């Protein structure tokens, strides 16, 4: 029974965090116009 109560409390906490983050919304910001530069290894 303790495990069931702990699972219910954990699920409620996770749901509260998700709802809080949803209410706050996405952070305002901009992405960089420059592409990420990566190198591809040469084939032997």
């Amino acid at each position: 029974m303790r495990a069931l109560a702990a699972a219910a409390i954990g699920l409620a906490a996770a749901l509260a965090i998700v709802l809080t983050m949803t209410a706050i919304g996405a952070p305002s910001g901009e992405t960089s116009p420059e592409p990420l530069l990566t190198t591809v290894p040469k084939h032997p």
Side-chain angles (χ1 to χ4, degrees), residues 1-3 7 9 11-13 22-24 27 29-30 33 36 38 44:
M1 193 67 182
R2 287 183 185 177
I9 291 171
L11 184 60
T22 303
I24 292 173
E30 297 179 1
L36 294 175
T38 58

Side-chain angles (χ1 to χ4, degrees), residues 10-42:
L11 184 60
L15 185 61
I17 291 172
V18 169
L19 289 177
T20 302
M21 294 301 289
T22 303
I24 292 173
S28 60
E30 297 179 1
T31 58
S32 174
E34 298 178 7
L36 294 175
L37 301 176
T38 58
T39 58
V40 178
K42 294 180 180 180

